[in-house]
Amino acid sequence: MIKHEEVKNGVIFPVGEKNEAYARYFVGQSYLKTLISDPKVSVGVGNVTFEPGCRNNWHIHRDGFQLLLVTGGEGWYQEEGKPAQFLKAGDVIVTHDGVKHWHGATKDSWFEHIAITAGTPEWLEPVADVEYNKL
């Protein structure tokens, strides 16, 4: 059974379109609704929605940071060398400059977060299925 299917319709903000621009950096289907993209503001803000089992590749934010505000569903966040953290609505993640990490949905739940991002992402390898499936 798939959990939190209501998330696929958006929790606070609309789900947006299929995240085709970044699809090569994800395993599975994600959706993106850009909320703030203003060249006079040094951060981007987007509503990112993950189908069950979807996760992004390992990545690093260079000369910046990323804040995740979890708004719905269930997901995972992991920094390199640390155990994965289970996420649910109301959780907040702070990723500092230069920290290798990934985030995404659990295998059986939709997941949604607001991403507040500064700097430039450096996209790396996918999260291995064998590691993800252990969660």
Side-chain angles (χ1 to χ4, degrees):
M1 181 177 160
I2 301 299
K3 296 191 270 184
H4 303 285
E5 287 194 70
E6 71 280 1
V7 170
K8 69 182 173 186
N9 298 316
V11 177
I12 297 171
F13 298 100
V15 169
E17 301 299 319
K18 286 185 176 182
N19 192 3
E20 301 297 344
Y22 292 91
R24 66 185 178 273
Y25 306 122
F26 284 74
V27 173
Q29 184 63 60
S30 68
Y31 303 83
L32 176 62
K33 173 64 176 168
T34 299
L35 302 175
I36 298 173
S37 178
D38 183 333
K40 295 180 183 177
V41 176
S42 62
V43 297
V45 180
N47 185 40
V48 185
T49 305
F50 300 77
E51 288 187 358
C54 178
R55 70 254 187 206
N56 54 31
N57 289 5
W58 288 97
H59 58 287
I60 298 169
H61 298 279
R62 300 288 184 191
D63 300 318
F65 58 84
Q66 186 170 57
L67 311 174
L68 303 178
L69 310 176
V70 180
T71 56
E74 296 176 355
W76 296 106
Y77 171 85
Q78 185 175 19
E79 293 181 0
E80 185 176 45
K82 296 182 180 179
Q85 295 175 246
F86 177 75
L87 301 176
K88 63 187 180 328
D91 288 339
V92 175
I93 295 291
V94 176
T95 305
H96 295 279
D97 182 49
V99 175
K100 185 176 177 180
H101 68 287
W102 69 272
H103 35 103
T106 62
K107 292 176 220 138
D108 63 349
S109 178
W110 284 78
F111 179 60
E112 187 171 75
H113 63 56
I114 304 298
I116 302 167
T117 308
T120 304
E122 177 185 345
W123 291 100
L124 304 165
E125 73 277 5
V127 176
D129 287 341
V130 67
E131 294 304 316
Y132 178 80
N133 289 330
K134 289 178 185 176
L135 300 174

